[in-house]
Amino acid sequence: AQSVTQPDIHITVSEGASLELRCNYSYGATPYLFWYVQSPGQGLQLLLKYFSGDTLVQGIKGFEAEFKRSQSSFNLRKPSVHWSDAAEYFCAVGANQAGTALIFGKGTTLSVSS
Amino acid sequence: DTEVTQTPKHLVMGMTNKKSLKCEQHMGHRAMYWYKQKAKKPPELMFVYSYEKLSINESVPSRFSPECPNSSLLNLHLHALQPEDSALYLCASSQGYDRVEPDTQYFGPGTRLTVL
């Protein structure tokens, strides 16, 4: 069965420090992988996605993620965190079929300290 | 432009009320989705419309009734809800088919629903 695991429920990072959020997936075929961010009371904003090709993908707001098939991982990184990055981050896997559900991880809450 | 709009932003209703949530997109997407999200949880899929036809109903209670009047609009009609239905209701849309890239869902800002 498809599943997504985000091992870290809550992470606190100092402003200006680097960030890595972990995501592991279980999927039979080549997965479509996504990272979304959700600010309090808001909808989900797409940060980046991966489906094939270069395993290092660049997204918006200075985020990047690396797909590692051998580790079934798709970790999100940012070299220097800003206070406005404080939010909930969801990793998701999509089926290789349009119009079907995204399978979300439980999310990681990012807090940024000054 | 990847904008999905939702109205209203907030809704408070009693258990005997009838209300509707509205979602709109003008990206030419042919798949539209309703998700329910409780606090501190990931979104849970409720319904999918593909080419204006209901394609997925995740065993949602009949007090939630979706409607897709045209390819740009998606409604969720609410009737006789329970307090436990209070949540953030998210609409999303996607192109509805896989081409060079995978089908990618874009979300609206959500409607915060409170049932008294």
Side-chain angles (χ1 to χ4, degrees), chain A residues 5-85:
Chain A
T5 302
Q6 293 181 246
D8 304 304
I9 296 174
H10 192 177
I11 284 182
T12 299
V13 174
S14 298
E15 191 169 15
S18 63
L19 169 70
E20 182 169 31
L21 301 182
R22 296 183 290 164
C23 173
N24 294 97
Y25 67 89
S26 174
Y27 192 74
T30 300
Y32 295 163
L33 293 161
F34 306 85
W35 274 101
Y36 288 88
V37 61
Q38 185 176 34
S39 297
Q42 302 296 313
L44 276 70
Q45 182 181 24
L46 178 69
L47 285 176
L48 45 77
K49 59 187 174 184
Y50 171 81
F51 63 102
S52 70
D54 192 347
T55 56
L56 184 64
V57 292
Q58 303 296 320
I60 62 171
K61 303 186 179 189
F63 286 92
E64 66 178 26
E66 186 171 14
F67 172 66
K68 293 186 177 180
R69 185 186 300 276
S70 61
Q71 298 177 21
S72 296
S73 70
F74 187 55
N75 293 349
L76 183 71
R77 301 194 294 247
K78 186 170 184 178
S80 177
V81 168
H82 188 262
W83 63 267
S84 60
D85 293 323

Side-chain angles (χ1 to χ4, degrees), chain A residues 32 34 36 38 40-46 49-52 88 90 95-102 104-107 109, chain B residues 9 31 33 35 37 40-43 45 48 55-56 88 90 94 96-98 100-109 112:
Chain A
Y32 295 163
F34 306 85
Y36 288 88
Q38 185 176 34
Q42 302 296 313
L44 276 70
Q45 182 181 24
L46 178 69
K49 59 187 174 184
Y50 171 81
F51 63 102
S52 70
E88 189 80 13
F90 291 101
N96 295 347
Q97 182 179 356
T100 57
L102 286 170
F104 287 94
K106 294 190 175 181
T109 302
Chain B
K9 196 174 176 65
Y33 311 74
Y35 285 84
Q37 186 181 26
K40 301 295 186 184
K41 299 288 187 184
L45 183 69
V48 181
S55 58
I56 296 178
L88 183 67
L90 294 163
S94 69
Y97 52 88
D98 294 325
V100 176
E101 288 200 348
D103 198 35
T104 301
Q105 295 182 29
Y106 296 92
F107 287 80
R112 173 72 60 190

